[in-house]
Amino acid sequence: MDPLSDVLTLLNVSGALSSRFEAAGRWALRFRSYRHIKIGAITSGACWLTVDGMPALRLSAGDCYLLTGGRPYEVASDLDVEAEDGHAVYLDAPNIRNVRYGTTIPDAEPTVIIGGSITLDDMTATLLLDCLPPAVRIPADSPQARTLRPVLGMLTHETSAEPLGATVMIEHLTQIMFVQALRAHLAGEERIPGWLGALGDPQIGAALTLMHQQATRRWTVAGLAAEVDMSRSSFALRFRTLVGLPPLDYLLHWRIRSAAEVLRAGDRTVSSVAAEWGYASESAFSNAFKRVTGQPPARYRTAKPPPPAAPPVHE
């Protein structure tokens, strides 16, 4: 697999409840903090999206957005409208998947938002969240937003009509929308930090792919540099500049995070997992594991992830 697919697999990406939200008149809703990632799109009308500590974003029909990091946020028709508790509005709604709010105005187009949440493995979520800003807007006129339209059409149908199998369809469609939105963000002009942004560099991206595909190989910086036709010094500098870690440190973190997932997913011995990921001894693996995760392997296996924050109902 490619590095992005590898990381998304490691993160156990899943889509939670998605919903269709329709608002009319003058309105504003505020939502408290959430777990991991929110994703949505405006399918009709327009609104303001404000994330705490950031300038407001104006969203129009066809625009998509990503929210990360769990900061409280508001959606509103006007910035000067006092916001109501969005969580309470959703709890009072007859149908949480198809919520209507506000006072209809004749001949005025309502705002319709299709939104969902993406949850990740709590132990490894920072692999992705550290590379993403708190809010990302994907403009409607971008090629990437256009590729999302068929998915949005299907989500609109599933959340409105709720046919048989809607729960499964909505979860998978939300995940597809999320991956497409990540692709759109990668294709944008804004510089993206960390491994995620480095995927766009032809040589460093190729090196990351090699490191993921052959993670147990005894790589050296010189060997990686030769594979992508760079000098050792130029490769080491560019890799650290783009990724934020030296090449072999990144490889260490990837090996250990991957091994950690294997440990928590089954009942294999620490020594067998160590051997699978290229360690000659259990002690060497344990020392590296503790350096990356802060815990020895046996304790990590049994550690419970942090309890999830109560998510806002708006998904």
Side-chain angles (χ1 to χ4, degrees):
M1 290 191 291
D2 62 274
L4 179 57
S5 296
D6 281 338
V7 172
L8 294 180
T9 299
L10 181 66
L11 291 174
N12 291 323
V13 175
S14 61
L17 174 69
S18 291
S19 66
R20 178 184 185 275
F21 172 73
E22 180 177 325
R26 300 180 74 242
W27 56 275
L29 297 180
R30 181 171 177 81
F31 297 92
R32 61 175 180 260
S33 58
Y34 56 90
R35 283 180 69 198
H36 303 150
I37 292 172
K38 291 285 185 183
I39 183 168
I42 315 304
T43 61
S44 173
C47 67
W48 290 95
L49 173 65
T50 306
V51 178
D52 281 11
M54 296 191 66
L57 296 174
R58 182 64 173 172
L59 301 175
S60 301
D63 288 347
C64 303
Y65 63 86
L66 274 175
L67 302 179
T68 71
R71 297 188 190 184
Y73 66 97
E74 293 184 13
V75 285
S77 62
D78 302 282
L79 293 176
D80 58 351
V81 176
E82 185 175 353
E84 190 174 348
D85 181 357
H87 185 264
V89 168
Y90 269 74
L91 287 178
D92 290 341
N95 182 352
I96 199 172
R97 281 191 178 155
N98 197 346
V99 178
R100 289 179 169 84
Y101 179 73
T103 303
T104 302
I105 299 175
D107 301 324
E109 183 181 32
T111 296
V112 177
I113 305 173
I114 301 293
S117 63
I118 295 293
T119 57
L120 311 172
D121 177 83
D122 281 300
M123 296 285 195
T124 51
T126 55
L127 281 173
L128 181 61
L129 297 182
D130 284 352
C131 298
L132 296 171
V136 175
R137 173 180 171 264
I138 303 164
D141 58 358
S142 67
Q144 294 76 27
R146 288 195 288 272
T147 65
L148 284 166
R149 289 174 191 167
V151 178
L152 293 175
M154 295 178 71
L155 270 172
T156 299
H157 171 71
E158 296 293 331
T159 54
S160 300
E162 296 193 55
L164 293 174
T167 299
V168 174
M169 282 289 290
I170 288 168
E171 179 167 352
H172 287 292
L173 288 169
T174 302
Q175 291 183 49
I176 291 170
M177 183 165 67
F178 168 59
V179 175
Q180 287 286 65
L182 278 181
R183 288 174 172 175
H185 184 49
L186 285 169
E189 296 180 357
E190 181 182 349
R191 185 188 178 282
I192 303 169
W195 64 268
L196 185 61
L199 294 178
D201 182 274
Q203 290 165 301
I204 303 304
L208 286 167
T209 298
L210 283 170
M211 294 162 83
H212 280 242
Q213 291 176 343
Q214 303 175 47
T216 59
R217 180 172 167 179
R218 295 187 179 279
W219 287 109
T220 64
V221 176
L224 284 164
E227 290 282 354
V228 296
D229 296 322
M230 295 181 70
S231 70
R232 184 190 184 284
S233 57
S234 296
F235 171 75
L237 177 60
R238 190 190 299 181
F239 192 101
R240 182 161 191 164
T241 300
L242 294 179
V243 178
L245 289 171
L248 299 188
D249 281 5
Y250 176 86
L251 180 59
L252 168 67
H253 279 71
W254 175 247
R255 283 174 175 163
I256 295 301
R257 292 297 185 187
S258 299
E261 180 64 17
V262 174
L263 277 173
R264 285 208 294 129
D267 57 1
R268 289 178 53 186
T269 63
V270 173
S271 60
S272 72
V273 175
E276 178 185 347
W277 288 95
Y279 287 87
S281 70
E282 183 176 332
S283 61
F285 173 71
S286 296
N287 289 335
F289 195 98
K290 187 172 183 180
R291 190 159 72 248
V292 172
T293 68
Q295 301 178 77
R299 186 182 302 169
Y300 184 94
R301 185 205 295 275
T302 58
K304 294 181 179 179
V313 183
H314 176 239
E315 302 290 346

